[in-house]
Amino acid sequence: MAVQSWSDLLKAAKKTALISDGKRKVHYLFTDGTEMAEEYDMKTDELLSRRLRSKSRLGGQGAWQVEVGETGLSLTETEEIKENSSNPVFMRKDTKTSFQWRVRNIPYPIDTYKVTVEPLDRCCIIRTTNKKYYKKFNISDLDRCQLPLESSALSFSHANNTLIISYKKPKEILALEQELMRELKKLKGTNEGDVDCKTQ
């Protein structure tokens, strides 16, 4: 089963944990050289961010791809061209029971939005009836575990110029996350500043 193979990959990966600012930061190094970095809230065990990086074609380090959390892209002061702050911002922020995406700076009324699941394309699509916004995105957790997408698990709401799309996590994902959290709590994490540095 695919859920089991992803679970096995996570168990086989070399893991390093660091505890800092009330967050458990875990770095995974998979056998193929792919890296994954996750941050969890220490109190709630909620996933705050997940980033993935693969080797480039020439074998160097690729760029980090943000899967969960804010991108955190910051421009240097010397750069003059930057994205308009009123443009829609798409990001993923999960809860304990659902995958959740937020589209900020999108002020249209709720009946303007149409959010659908495309099981054959393995993606979700956000459309507006006024044709001002269109976004196609996949649910990478379901793709990795090769679980089907179901329209009944999808819901959305709109408040404060933010469209919130929720997809209820299947029981297989919930079980995998609980198992993973038990494993992560067994890891001995070092606190920031506790790193043993050798002097010359």
Side-chain angles (χ1 to χ4, degrees), residues 87-151:
N87 280 356
V89 177
F90 181 83
M91 65 168 283
R92 179 172 156 188
K93 183 178 181 353
D94 292 354
T95 65
K96 285 278 191 191
T97 58
S98 63
F99 303 115
Q100 197 172 83
W101 296 266
R102 294 168 185 257
V103 185
R104 293 188 189 138
N105 298 331
I106 194 159
Y108 315 115
I110 187 77
D111 57 347
T112 308
Y113 305 101
K114 183 178 179 188
V115 183
T116 57
V117 170
E118 300 293 332
L120 297 176
D121 294 336
R122 297 200 51 78
C123 68
C124 299
I125 299 176
I126 305 168
R127 295 179 178 93
T128 56
T129 55
N130 61 7
K131 301 192 185 312
K132 297 280 186 181
Y133 188 79
Y134 178 89
K135 180 74 176 175
K136 191 175 187 178
F137 61 96
N138 68 338
I139 305 174
S140 50
D141 298 65
L142 296 183
D143 290 345
R144 279 192 288 267
C145 296
Q146 297 176 358
L147 294 171
L149 274 76
E150 297 177 12
S151 297

Side-chain angles (χ1 to χ4, degrees), residues 24 39-48 50 68 92-100 102 141 166-182 184-185:
R24 175 181 285 115
E39 287 185 11
Y40 293 89
D41 186 294
M42 290 289 289
K43 292 179 183 170
T44 63
D45 293 333
E46 186 177 326
L47 177 65
L48 301 174
R50 178 184 295 141
V68 177
R92 179 172 156 188
K93 183 178 181 353
D94 292 354
T95 65
K96 285 278 191 191
T97 58
S98 63
F99 303 115
Q100 197 172 83
R102 294 168 185 257
D141 298 65
S166 298
Y167 187 96
K168 190 175 179 206
K169 292 180 181 176
K171 62 182 183 306
E172 295 90 348
I173 295 289
L174 292 171
L176 177 67
E177 287 178 349
Q178 288 175 348
E179 180 185 344
L180 178 62
M181 189 48 63
R182 282 194 297 271
L184 293 179
K185 286 183 177 180

